[in-house]
Amino acid sequence: MEENTSVVNEVPEVKAKGGKFKEWRRKKLVTLKRKPYYIALLFFIIPSLIYIFGLGTLSEAILSNKTTSFSGLAWVGHAIFVNTLFSILILVLFLNTFPKRKKPNLVFAGMVILFAVIMILMDVLFYIQLSGALKNVSGKVATAESALSLTMVHLVFQAISIITFVTLPLYKKLIMKINTQKAVESNEITQQIDISDD
């Protein structure tokens, strides 16, 4: 009788400490290669969050008109309303620009740029009117100065968002050049297998 031979399962080698991070990074790069517009989306989310979370500061700056006798603040309320509304709508438009398994919708892409430009113009209007009103007030008004700083930050991030969106085809080509292939170990059999009958 032939003796039973026990088959020994090879234990896979333990991955290096950085192995899990490298694999996670590779998967994220693969996702980014499939959907490079995620980068531009992130840059549109940031100014929207900045504006929505800073809405209290902006509103306080307008309400202080009653206590500090600001003058020339005719359109600042409208500017805040438009920017708050567009901060949400621009994200909806952006997501509709890139439908699943279809070519980008150029109409929605144009509307995203238009909305972003309008938001920048509203920031400029708010900044000019509020800074002009501050000149007529003796002393510093903390809420108004915070609102001006917040408006400038929002304006800068909104401008960066437009640049990121417009240059999407350029950095998409660069992202596609990144090597994300997984290194597979060779599975060659080095020993000869005896197939002759005993």
Side-chain angles (χ1 to χ4, degrees), residues 96-109:
N96 285 319
T97 303
F98 300 97
K100 219 173 186 180
R101 297 191 181 101
K102 290 181 184 177
K103 289 183 178 180
N105 190 324
L106 296 179
V107 175
F108 281 113

Side-chain angles (χ1 to χ4, degrees), residues 47-104:
S48 293
L49 290 176
I50 287 170
Y51 205 84
I52 289 168
F53 285 124
L55 196 56
T57 305
L58 299 169
S59 301
E60 279 181 38
I62 303 306
L63 288 172
S64 61
N65 178 18
K66 295 176 182 178
T67 56
T68 55
S69 303
F70 284 173
S71 58
L73 294 177
W75 296 99
V76 288
H78 296 83
I80 291 174
F81 173 75
V82 170
N83 273 357
T84 305
L85 182 64
F86 280 20
S87 291
I88 298 164
L89 290 179
I90 200 166
L91 299 177
V92 176
L93 288 172
F94 188 96
L95 293 172
N96 285 319
T97 303
F98 300 97
K100 219 173 186 180
R101 297 191 181 101
K102 290 181 184 177
K103 289 183 178 180

Side-chain angles (χ1 to χ4, degrees), residues 161-176:
S161 301
I162 294 173
I163 294 165
T164 311
F165 186 66
V166 172
T167 57
L168 176 60
L170 297 176
Y171 61 81
K172 180 182 178 181
K173 289 178 182 177
L174 295 173
I175 291 169
M176 295 305 285

Side-chain angles (χ1 to χ4, degrees), residues 18-36:
K20 287 183 180 180
F21 173 73
K22 284 181 181 178
E23 181 61 20
W24 175 83
R25 188 181 65 181
R26 189 190 71 80
K27 286 180 180 177
K28 293 299 173 190
L29 282 171
V30 169
T31 304
L32 207 57
K33 283 175 87 169
R34 289 181 186 160
K35 299 175 181 178

Side-chain angles (χ1 to χ4, degrees), residues 23 26 179-186:
E23 181 61 20
R26 189 190 71 80
N179 183 14
T180 54
Q181 292 181 347
K182 193 173 182 179
V184 181
E185 295 178 4
S186 60

